[in-house]
Amino acid sequence: MGQLMDAAARAAFRAALGRAADGAMWARGRGWALTIALDELAYYRETNLVMADIARLVIGRLTEEADRLS
């Protein structure tokens, strides 16, 4: 459930990983999380509102992070 971490928790997690978490690795992780969230939103949007809301939360956090990076 790492994709549910808030910005402070993600920063602490990345710091704990040290040099293992370079920019490319972090970008791949964001891509993976976005892919999963989009799939979950499409699949659950009418059948499981809790999962759909979680997917929306993840997509929102990824969008916010992308905005900060650009």
Side-chain angles (χ1 to χ4, degrees):
M1 292 300 234
Q3 69 269 29
L4 297 180
M5 292 180 192
D6 63 17
R10 284 192 309 275
F13 179 69
R14 187 172 182 179
L17 291 175
R19 286 191 251 192
D22 64 3
M25 181 179 141
W26 208 249
R28 287 190 302 274
R30 284 193 311 272
W32 171 86
L34 180 59
T35 299
I36 299 302
L38 290 171
D39 286 345
E40 287 177 345
L41 181 57
Y43 187 81
Y44 290 118
R45 70 176 172 215
E46 294 179 10
T47 60
N48 188 329
L49 299 180
V50 172
M51 289 296 292
D53 285 345
I54 292 170
R56 286 184 189 95
L57 173 69
V58 171
I59 293 165
R61 287 183 176 172
L62 290 166
T63 302
E64 289 169 7
E65 187 167 318
D67 288 344
R68 279 194 303 275
L69 295 173
S70 60

